[in-house]
Amino acid sequence: MLFWQIMKKSASSHILNGLNGRQKDAVEHIHGPLLILAGAGSGKTKVLAHRIANIVRLGCSPERVLAITFTNKAAGEMQKRISALISNNPLTASRPFVRTFHALGVHILRESGHHIGISKKFSIFDEEDALSLMKDCLRDLSIDPKQFQPAKMRSVISAHKSELLTPEDLAEDAHNSPFLVKLIAVWQLYEKKLKEHSALDFDDLIAKTIALLKKSSETLKRYQAQWTHIHIDEYQDTNRSQYLLASLLAREHRNLCAVGDIDQSIYGWRGADFRNILNFEKDWPEAKIITLEENYRSTQTILDAANAVIIKNQFRRPKNLFTEKTGGNKIKIFLAANELEEAAFIAQTARACAQNNTPADKIAVLYRTNFQSRVLEEEFLRQGMPYQLLGVKFYERKEVKDILAYIRIALNPQDLLSKKRIINTPARGIGKILLTKYLARDKDLNPKEKTLLQNFEEIIQSIGDAAATKPASEVTRAAIEKSGYANFLRDGTEEGAMRLANIQELVSLSKKYDIFPSPAGIEELLADAALMSDQDTLKEREKAVKLMTVHAAKGLEFKTVFVAGMEEGLFPHNMMGGGSDPLKAEEERRLFYVALTRAEENLFLSYAIFRTIFGSRQINKPSRFLEDIPPELTEAVNRENMQNEYPESDTEIINL
C-alpha cells in the first residue's frame, strides 16, 4: 500500500509540474462540466494532456477518456503528450481515445452503424468525390451546371447537413423558390447515389452518428458508458451537429471539458458557431469557468498589439494576454508599390532572417486568400529560397487516389465512383461502352469482354484477400503491384518517376497503420486519407519557409511571421469585413488576431499601393486593422534599415 501511495504522489508531482496557478486549477478539476477559456499561446494542449493524465492517475481507466480535436495533427500531438505523461503508470496499458470529430464518427458508425442500415465497409467520399457525385446528379436531372454550379450546390447542401436538416425540411419553403425546388431534387438524388455506393460524405459522418444515437438508446448508453470524461478542443469552432454530438455523449456523466477561445473563432463561413462557447454556462449551469491569459509564445509587444486589435470586438469574453517576455522587437510595417515588390521584400527578408540564426522552418508567410501565394512562390523560387506551400495534400495526388481507390473497392464493392475511376487505369481495354455494361450488370457480353472484366475482378479480389489478412503496408503494396500501376509509371519520363515515388511513399506512410489488426489498419489509412486537413500536410522537419493562409496557420507558431496583403478589401476581405454584417466583420478581426498571435519574436505586416486581382489592377488603402495597432508598437521599414538590421547577411534587400 505504501508503494502505491508513493507512486501516486510522485505521479501527481510529475503531472502538476510546470503549470501556472490557473492551469493547475483546470488540471485538478476533474468532475463536472468545465470551460477553459484559453488565450492564444496559453498552453491549452498542455493543460488538456495534463488534465487527462491526472484523471487517469486518480483511477479512471484511460479508455474511458475521450478527447476530440479538429485536425489529425492536433490529435497526434495530444496523444503523444498524454502517452508521455502516463507511460510510467504501471496500471495503464491502454490509452485514451483521441480523435477528430469526423474520425470519431467513423469509429462509431463502423462499430454500430448497422442499427440504421450503414454497412461496416462504407466508403468515405472526400470533397473531390462528393463534387464528382454532385456533377453526376446534375447531369442525370438535365440541370445546367453553369446556372446551378456543382460546387455551390454541394456547399449549400453541406451547410444544411451540418444543421441536421434534410430535403424534406426544405419542402415547405420551396413553393416560391425555383432554386429550392432544384436543390431538393438534386439533394434527394445525391443521397440516393450515396446509398447506392454505400458511401458517406464528410457531413454524414457527424449527422449519421447523431441519427444513430437518437434512434438507438442502447447504442447511446453504450458510448455514454464507454466515455465518462469527454474533452472538446477548439470548442468555439464547433457547428450545430458537432455541438449536439458532444452534448449527447456527455449527458449521462456531465464530465465535459470544453476548451476554446472566442477571439480565435474564424470558421463561421463553414458553419462554426462561436455562440456554443458563449452559451456553455447556460447549457451546463454547474460549470466551472477558468480563463488562461498568460502567453508562453509571443513577446509583450506582439501581445499588446493583439489585445488592442481584438478589444474592438463586442461578441467576446474579456481577456487580456500577458507574458514574462517583456518588451520585444517592434512590429515592422512595409509599404510596397505593388505585389511584386511586396513579394521581393518578403522573400529577401526571410532569407536574411534564415542567415541570421532563424531556421527557415521557423519562418511563415501568411496571407488572407490563396491567390496571393502565386507571386510569393515565384519570388521564393527566383531567390532560391526553399519554401513549403501548405494545402497541397499528398492524398489528393491522382496516382495516390488511384491506389486508394483500388483498396476502397476491395473493401466496398458498391463503391461505383472508385470503380469508374480506376477500371481502365492503367489501360486494360475497358472502354466507356464496356464500363456502362459492367455497371449495369449487363450479361450480354462477348468472350473478350468477359475476359477483360474477369481479369479486373481478379485484381480486386486479390487486393481484398490481402486486406483481410495482411498489414496495411502490405495491402498498399499489393494494390500497387496487382493493379499494374508501378509498371504503368515506369515510362522513362521524369513525371512518371515522380508519380512512382509518390505511391512508394504511400507504402511507407502505410507502415504506421501496421500496428492495427487486419483489416482495421487499412480502414484507418483510408479514413485518415479522406479526412486530411491542410495542417496535416505540414512537414515540420523540412527546412523551408512555410507559406499558408491565415486560416491554415491557426494553432501553429513561428519565430518570424510575415502577413502579406494588409489592404482594405483584401484583409479585411470585402466579402466579410467590409459589409454591414457585424458578425462577419468581427470574424475578420479575429482572423487578424490569429495572424498576429502566430509570431513569437518578429512580426512583419506588408501592404501594396497597387495589386492585380483576377487580372484587374487595383489601387488600395491600408487595412483598417493597421490603425488599430498603437503606433508606438510599430516602425516603418525600407531597404536601408532592413539592410542595417541584418548586416551579416549576403542578401541585398532591394526595391524593384
Side-chain angles (χ1 to χ4, degrees):
M1 178 65 74
L2 180 61
F3 170 76
W4 293 116
Q5 289 176 340
I6 294 173
M7 287 291 294
K8 208 167 187 180
K9 185 176 181 180
S10 175
S12 174
S13 175
H14 172 59
I15 290 170
L16 298 179
N17 188 38
L19 302 175
N20 64 39
R22 291 186 180 180
Q23 289 175 332
K24 287 180 180 177
D25 289 343
V27 168
E28 292 182 316
H29 181 87
I30 66 170
H31 295 298
L34 171 67
L35 175 62
I36 303 174
L37 297 171
S42 62
K44 69 178 180 62
T45 304
K46 180 178 183 178
V47 169
L48 275 176
H50 283 248
R51 185 177 191 273
I52 291 171
N54 195 41
I55 290 170
V56 172
R57 177 187 70 85
L58 293 174
C60 180
S61 181
E63 64 266 20
R64 303 195 75 188
V65 179
L66 171 65
I68 307 176
T69 69
F70 274 85
T71 67
N72 290 328
K73 182 179 183 298
E77 175 64 23
M78 192 178 299
Q79 188 72 270
K80 181 180 177 182
R81 293 196 188 197
I82 295 169
S83 296
L85 288 167
I86 68 175
S87 60
N88 294 327
N89 189 329
L91 301 180
T92 57
S94 58
R95 290 290 179 265
F97 194 88
V98 185
R99 293 288 193 280
T100 64
F101 265 108
H102 291 93
L104 172 65
V106 172
H107 173 80
I108 293 175
L109 292 172
R110 291 251 191 251
E111 281 191 339
S112 307
H114 60 275
H115 290 297
I116 55 172
I118 295 176
S119 167
K120 176 179 171 59
K121 301 297 183 181
F122 67 83
S123 293
I124 303 170
F125 278 8
D126 62 20
E127 283 303 314
E128 182 183 329
D129 299 326
L131 188 59
S132 177
L133 201 65
M134 187 62 61
K135 291 176 181 177
D136 289 346
C137 292
L138 293 175
R139 186 191 64 245
D140 292 353
L141 294 171
S142 299
I143 294 175
D144 184 359
K146 293 181 180 178
Q147 184 178 3
F148 296 90
Q149 298 175 358
K152 181 180 179 181
M153 299 291 275
R154 162 69 188 140
S155 177
V156 172
I157 289 172
S158 175
H160 285 315
K161 280 191 171 187
S162 294
E163 292 292 318
L164 301 179
L165 297 174
T166 66
E168 292 68 34
D169 294 322
L170 305 183
E172 188 174 331
D173 298 323
H175 302 294
N176 299 317
S177 172
F179 175 78
L180 274 183
V181 171
K182 296 284 188 184
L183 180 70
I184 291 171
V186 172
W187 190 355
Q188 289 174 333
L189 182 57
Y190 176 76
E191 294 299 321
K192 182 174 181 287
K193 285 183 178 290
L194 280 174
K195 191 171 184 178
E196 289 172 351
H197 288 69
S198 187
L200 303 178
D201 64 20
F202 286 167
D203 306 299
D204 288 330
L205 298 177
I206 308 296
K208 298 292 186 185
T209 301
I210 293 173
L212 166 65
L213 298 180
K214 285 187 173 181
K215 182 176 181 180
S216 173
S217 58
E218 289 185 8
T219 304
L220 175 60
K221 289 178 182 178
R222 170 188 171 182
Y223 291 108
Q224 286 177 336
Q226 181 171 330
W227 296 310
T228 59
H229 291 77
I230 298 173
H231 302 74
I232 312 292
D233 192 14
E234 305 288 8
Y235 196 71
Q236 78 282 347
D237 291 334
T238 54
N239 59 26
R240 175 170 170 75
S241 58
Q242 292 160 343
Y243 161 81
L244 286 175
L245 177 57
S247 299
L248 279 170
L249 292 175
R251 182 186 297 164
E252 178 67 20
H253 297 282
R254 305 187 71 78
N255 294 324
L256 175 63
C257 172
V259 183
D261 181 10
I262 302 164
D263 294 337
Q264 295 185 75
S265 178
I266 59 174
Y267 294 111
W269 51 275
R270 71 180 188 194
D273 190 346
F274 68 89
R275 288 170 295 192
N276 290 340
I277 199 169
L278 285 176
N279 293 333
F280 190 86
E281 291 172 274
K282 179 181 176 182
D283 296 333
W284 309 90
E286 72 274 35
K288 180 173 182 177
I289 314 296
I290 296 175
T291 303
L292 305 181
E293 296 176 295
E294 184 171 359
N295 179 284
Y296 295 92
R297 175 188 301 155
S298 308
T299 64
Q300 191 62 53
T301 296
I302 293 171
L303 296 183
D304 287 344
N307 288 332
V309 166
I310 202 63
I311 199 171
K312 290 196 171 184
N313 273 10
Q314 295 182 7
F315 298 101
R316 65 188 296 263
R317 287 176 179 266
K319 183 171 73 283
N320 196 59
L321 297 180
F322 68 92
T323 181
E324 293 183 355
K325 298 180 183 179
T326 57
N329 297 329
K330 286 191 174 184
I331 298 168
K332 296 175 175 58
I333 299 179
F334 179 73
L335 169 61
N338 53 43
E339 70 271 20
L340 298 176
E341 185 179 39
E342 178 187 51
F345 169 79
I346 291 173
Q348 293 160 352
T349 307
R351 186 173 181 181
C353 290
Q355 292 174 349
N356 284 267
N357 300 319
T358 300
D361 60 331
K362 296 298 182 182
I363 302 171
V365 183
L366 311 182
Y367 36 83
R368 176 62 181 83
T369 58
N370 279 306
F371 83 84
Q372 293 173 258
S373 70
R374 181 188 60 81
V375 67
L376 290 164
E377 286 189 84
E378 290 176 354
E379 187 58 35
F380 271 76
L381 286 170
R382 193 175 75 84
Q383 289 291 322
M385 185 65 187
Y387 71 92
Q388 182 197 356
L389 181 69
L390 261 72
V392 181
K393 300 177 184 177
F394 175 80
Y395 290 112
E396 289 182 356
R397 298 181 188 274
K398 181 185 183 305
E399 59 274 14
V400 173
K401 286 206 71 169
D402 285 347
I403 297 303
L404 294 177
Y406 275 102
I407 300 171
R408 276 169 46 167
I409 298 169
L411 294 176
N412 175 19
Q414 291 179 251
D415 187 346
L416 304 182
L417 199 66
S418 292
K419 280 186 178 180
K420 287 192 288 185
R421 180 184 183 95
I422 51 81
I423 195 168
N424 202 42
T425 304
R428 51 177 62 93
I430 301 176
K432 290 184 178 179
I433 294 176
L434 182 53
L435 172 61
T436 301
K437 288 182 178 182
Y438 176 66
L439 296 179
R441 299 180 181 179
D442 191 340
K443 302 296 184 181
D444 185 19
L445 304 173
N446 62 44
K448 181 181 178 181
E449 290 174 330
K450 289 181 180 179
T451 300
L452 289 173
L453 294 178
Q454 183 178 348
N455 290 340
F456 174 70
E457 292 285 1
E458 288 176 356
I459 291 171
I460 301 304
Q461 183 61 52
S462 63
I463 298 171
D465 292 342
T469 58
K470 294 182 178 179
S473 62
E474 292 189 32
V475 178
T476 307
R477 186 178 287 108
I480 293 170
E481 293 173 354
K482 301 291 185 182
S483 66
Y485 215 96
N487 289 332
F488 165 62
L489 294 179
R490 292 190 181 102
D491 56 4
T493 66
E494 183 177 345
E495 181 184 356
M498 290 177 60
R499 295 175 65 193
L500 180 60
N502 284 333
I503 61 173
Q504 290 170 339
E505 175 68 10
L506 180 61
V507 176
S508 299
L509 290 173
S510 301
K511 288 185 180 296
K512 72 176 184 178
Y513 299 92
D514 288 351
I515 61 172
F516 297 98
S518 301
I522 200 65
E523 290 174 348
E524 286 284 329
L525 168 64
L526 292 176
D528 284 352
L531 302 176
M532 191 68 63
S533 69
D534 284 348
Q535 278 197 13
D536 296 322
T537 68
L538 181 66
K539 299 176 182 176
E540 294 181 337
R541 296 182 182 179
E542 185 173 311
K543 302 303 180 184
V545 177
K546 313 303 181 188
L547 274 59
M548 68 191 86
T549 64
V550 182
H551 282 98
K554 185 165 173 287
L556 304 178
E557 56 188 41
F558 302 91
K559 185 175 180 180
T560 297
V561 170
F562 297 84
V563 185
M566 293 302 305
E567 298 138 28
E568 281 295 306
L570 186 55
F571 202 1
H573 199 281
N574 55 14
M575 296 294 290
M576 294 291 288
S580 58
D581 187 338
L583 290 179
K584 288 184 177 180
E586 291 207 357
E587 178 161 320
E588 203 71 1
R589 185 176 295 278
R590 292 194 294 268
L591 188 61
F592 182 53
Y593 175 83
V594 167
L596 296 178
T597 53
R598 297 314 92 198
E600 297 174 4
E601 297 180 9
N602 306 305
L603 180 59
F604 295 83
L605 308 176
S606 60
Y607 63 102
I609 298 174
F610 295 98
R611 187 178 299 273
T612 302
I613 300 179
F614 302 123
S616 176
R617 188 172 173 82
Q618 300 180 6
I619 187 168
N620 309 298
K621 295 192 301 182
S623 169
R624 71 190 71 171
F625 296 151
L626 295 177
E627 299 178 359
D628 295 336
I629 302 175
E632 64 271 16
L633 302 178
T634 67
E635 64 176 348
V637 295
N638 53 38
R639 174 171 58 89
E640 288 78 14
N641 56 26
M642 285 310 300
Q643 191 67 53
N644 292 335
E645 183 149 342
Y646 299 104
E648 297 179 5
S649 171
D650 62 9
T651 301
E652 183 183 1
I653 308 297
I654 62 171
N655 288 320
L656 298 182

